[in-house]
Amino acid sequence: MTHAISVEQTGGPEMLCWQKVELDRPGPGQALIRHTAIGLNFIDVYFRTGLYPAPLPFTPGMEAAGIVEAVGEGVTDISPGDRVGYGQSPLGAYAERRLIPADKLIRLPDWIADEVAAAMLLQGLTAQYLLRQTFPVKPGDKVLIHAAAGGVGLLACQWANALGATVIGTVGSAEKAALAATHGCHHVIQYREQDLVARVREITAGHGVDVVYDGVGKDTFDRSLDCLHRRGLMVSYGNASGPVPPFDIGLLNKKGGLFLTRPSVGHYAGTRAELLAMAEDLFAIVRTGQVKVNIHQRFALRHAAEAHRALEARATTGATVLLP
């Protein structure tokens, strides 16, 4: 017998219920993990509210670290006792223990602590595909990163800086502006007090940015397009403020022959080889010290509803972990 958070009905944070659950032995291709730390991500909110549909009931969460307790038939590259993490898996991370497809597991280097792994894998893999694959950032590029003081934002700002880009970040408060400025942002825009488009044009001498990385969605989409230069790329990878409404595709032509993509980590880590290559790239940049993982909030797993309220209120910065 173990415990997990269960969502019986979609809705607010109060729908996150702490329950006893029973687990079978791992089947073919599966592993049984005892979690030591679990990552909190905005995608968890999307599933809880029903924005991203999932069969009910379900246990949220896609990112965690822990110890392998048992493996099923056919699992050869993961063994009981291994320290592992994952950041791209079926739902089910909000649990003391869980069964998981073994091919989603990443063996952790000794120098990465469990809490750090749980805080960095989904967000770090997201930053990896955004900066290294969706739009491969190179020296001299000008990039705009929304929610620069959030989990993905802090990692992406540091990484883009290390790649030689001019990094412009948006935040919602002076406290978050100070945090972003110490984590790779050359220019920080407080969007509640400053005109985003005018400030970006000022910073770039009227040119605009090469790429916008936007995990906010509805509230920033239109202005983001206006921040791009001719043939720039809009990367809409999240919906923290709600989904982007339908729009006339001709708008992209009107604003300069813009490109638009709506990716997710699953599109880039679709095979085990891709997943491991992305993780290796992430581990390498973190080990250099150029990208630091900051855990600013910790909640007990049983208090996941409290963590969701803080996340949705934009009261968190950096990474948050849930502790079983």
Side-chain angles (χ1 to χ4, degrees):
M1 187 71 69
T2 189
H3 290 85
I5 295 291
S6 179
V7 174
E8 307 287 330
Q9 181 180 341
T10 56
E14 68 278 3
M15 296 302 173
L16 299 170
C17 302
W18 181 248
Q19 294 185 352
K20 290 183 178 180
V21 295
E22 293 187 9
L23 293 175
D24 296 327
R25 295 285 300 173
Q30 289 186 318
L32 173 64
I33 303 177
R34 175 176 57 83
H35 286 147
T36 53
I38 298 154
L40 177 73
N41 296 280
F42 226 100
I43 194 170
D44 305 342
V45 174
Y46 302 157
F47 280 107
R48 190 206 74 220
T49 60
L51 177 63
Y52 288 4
L56 295 167
F58 66 87
T59 293
M62 301 177 69
E63 175 184 48
I67 307 295
V68 176
E69 293 193 328
V71 298
E73 181 183 353
V75 177
T76 58
D77 58 346
I78 297 292
S79 303
D82 284 349
R83 291 179 62 245
V84 295
Y86 59 90
Q88 193 258 330
S89 77
L91 295 175
Y94 284 24
E96 293 175 324
R97 287 175 171 81
R98 74 167 295 185
L99 294 170
I100 186 172
D103 63 0
K104 299 299 183 184
L105 298 176
I106 301 164
R107 195 177 283 109
L108 298 178
D110 293 340
W111 54 270
I112 295 181
D114 288 12
E115 283 192 13
V116 172
M120 71 181 273
L121 281 171
L122 180 54
Q123 294 172 352
L125 292 171
T126 299
Q128 196 282 340
Y129 83 72
L130 291 174
L131 299 171
R132 304 280 279 164
Q133 299 187 72
T134 305
F135 181 93
V137 174
K138 60 186 183 300
D141 285 339
K142 297 175 178 62
V143 307
L144 175 61
I145 300 173
H146 286 300
V152 174
L154 287 180
L155 296 177
C157 288
Q158 294 175 83
W159 203 337
N161 186 311
L163 291 169
T166 297
V167 183
I168 305 169
T170 69
V171 298
S173 69
E175 177 188 8
K176 290 183 177 182
L179 184 63
T182 59
H183 287 79
C185 269
H186 298 102
H187 307 275
V188 185
I189 300 172
Q190 294 188 50
Y191 64 86
R192 292 191 177 101
E193 300 178 6
Q194 297 173 285
D195 183 316
L196 171 63
V197 178
R199 184 72 183 108
V200 167
R201 292 291 171 180
E202 179 184 4
I203 292 167
T204 62
H207 184 67
V209 296
D210 299 281
V211 60
V212 176
Y213 295 113
D214 188 353
V216 176
K218 176 174 63 69
D219 289 354
T220 51
F221 184 80
D222 290 339
R223 287 176 294 165
S224 293
L225 296 180
D226 289 331
C227 291
L228 288 163
H229 72 62
R230 182 169 53 97
R231 300 196 308 273
L233 174 63
M234 173 68 180
V235 184
S236 177
Y237 70 93
N239 313 293
S241 66
V244 176
F247 70 99
D248 181 357
I249 194 172
L251 187 65
L252 300 177
N253 175 59
K254 181 180 178 181
K255 292 182 178 293
L258 304 180
F259 293 87
L260 169 66
T261 184
R262 179 58 175 88
S264 67
V265 68
H267 299 137
Y268 290 88
T271 68
R272 181 152 181 79
E274 290 171 337
L275 172 64
L276 295 181
M278 290 170 65
E280 183 178 359
D281 194 29
L282 172 62
F283 292 159
I285 191 69
V286 171
R287 191 161 198 182
T288 67
Q290 294 174 293
V291 172
K292 296 179 173 62
V293 181
N294 299 281
I295 303 171
H296 291 173
Q297 298 83 208
R298 294 171 174 83
F299 294 86
L301 175 59
R302 67 173 63 229
H303 298 150
E306 182 182 346
H308 274 229
R309 290 187 185 98
L311 183 63
E312 289 182 278
R314 302 190 185 183
T316 64
T317 57
T320 303
V321 293
L322 307 174
L323 302 176

